[in-house]
Amino acid sequence: MSRSGRQATGVRRWLNVVNIGAFVLVLAVSLPLLWMAVTSFKSEGELGASPPTVLPKDPTWAHYARALTSAGFDRYLLNSAVVCLSATAIVLGLGLFSGYALGRLPLRGRGPIMVALLMISVFPTIAVVTPLYLVERRLDLLNSYWGLIIPYVAFHLPFAVWILRNSLLDIPHELEESATVDGASPVRTLLSVILPQARPALFTAGVFTFTATWTEFLMALTFNSADDFRTVPVGIALFSGVYEIPFGTIFAGAMAATVPIVLLVLVFRRSVLSGLTDGAVKG
């Protein structure tokens, strides 16, 4: 009697609203990705089969070869890598110094600055695409890497500053005082003492910035119309022809574009979780 009661208690401990909701959410996110991965290996005949096959009977790499060669997907991957890595590096550099100034140094107007950063971080992109396009056309930044790097930095820097500033608040001030006594300058203190302590927050801001810029579509479509500067999301959207939609090539390109993000999250998952929970919600 008591044993069955203990077993029921154990089952009830796992079968709760939070766990069930998390399972449903993971299932809803995983099934489309799994279906996309399976479909990318199907032959042309299986793509239009009715009823559809669950697993490919004759797996093929033809769609990946077509996406990486004839469709010019390798160029799109290079463009996305250049833009996203550059924007992420600039965001982390500026975010570290800004977060240090807002979190560790005596600064007037800190509250309004943080409110302004929060407002910028939630501002809809579509509301500023047209004026940004006019500005970039005047500055001759259209169809260039900098035409995307600059607005990406402007839009994602506020989030990085928030994450880094709130994480830096948890670092003991005694570390800075010891460095100052030893004669270290503020920059040397930041790079030698504060930076190692802020690595989880840096990884968090970096992963979120890279993922957001890698998947961004609207600005990439608007600012870079030349094929030599198109990024992955725009390139995949333009795979469709006039008379046919190459689902196999589209799914193969989407899978190739998803792999870097998945690897990034898997490698840095512990640092990301630590950065989100370590002072990420402090004011």
Side-chain angles (χ1 to χ4, degrees), residues 49-66:
S50 182
T53 57
V54 178
L55 296 176
K57 297 179 181 179
D58 186 20
T60 177
W61 290 90
H63 302 304
Y64 287 90
R66 188 178 301 113

Side-chain angles (χ1 to χ4, degrees), residues 25-207:
L25 179 61
V26 171
L27 198 64
V29 174
S30 302
L31 285 180
L33 293 176
L34 180 61
W35 182 256
M36 181 175 65
V38 170
T39 306
S40 66
F41 290 101
K42 291 183 178 180
S43 61
E44 293 292 345
E46 288 185 87
L47 289 175
S50 182
T53 57
V54 178
L55 296 176
K57 297 179 181 179
D58 186 20
T60 177
W61 290 90
H63 302 304
Y64 287 90
R66 188 178 301 113
L68 294 174
T69 56
S70 61
F73 193 71
D74 53 345
R75 180 65 187 184
Y76 303 148
L77 285 173
L78 176 62
N79 294 337
S80 288
V82 172
V83 170
C84 297
L85 291 176
S86 301
T88 302
I90 296 174
V91 165
L92 293 182
L94 296 178
L96 178 62
F97 283 94
S98 302
Y100 179 74
L102 290 171
R104 312 290 294 187
L105 301 180
L107 183 67
R108 292 185 178 181
R110 183 181 306 172
I113 293 176
M114 297 303 297
V115 172
L117 290 175
L118 182 61
M119 294 176 62
I120 294 174
S121 63
V122 299
F123 204 77
T125 305
I126 193 172
V128 296
V129 167
T130 300
L132 278 178
Y133 177 85
L134 297 177
V135 171
E136 293 207 357
R137 186 177 64 179
R138 177 64 65 90
L139 298 177
D140 197 23
L141 291 175
L142 297 178
N143 294 319
S144 67
Y145 290 141
W146 285 109
L148 286 180
I149 293 174
I150 293 175
Y152 284 172
V153 170
F155 270 90
H156 300 295
L157 181 59
F159 175 79
V161 172
W162 264 92
I163 290 294
L164 291 168
R165 180 256 182 185
N166 293 335
S167 178
L168 293 176
L169 290 176
D170 288 341
I171 301 177
H173 287 275
E174 289 76 11
L175 296 176
E176 290 174 282
E177 295 174 357
S178 299
T180 303
V181 171
D182 293 337
S185 64
V187 176
R188 179 64 181 274
T189 302
L190 172 62
L191 297 179
S192 301
V193 179
I194 303 299
L195 181 59
Q197 305 294 326
R199 285 179 180 175
L202 282 172
F203 284 127
T204 302
V207 169

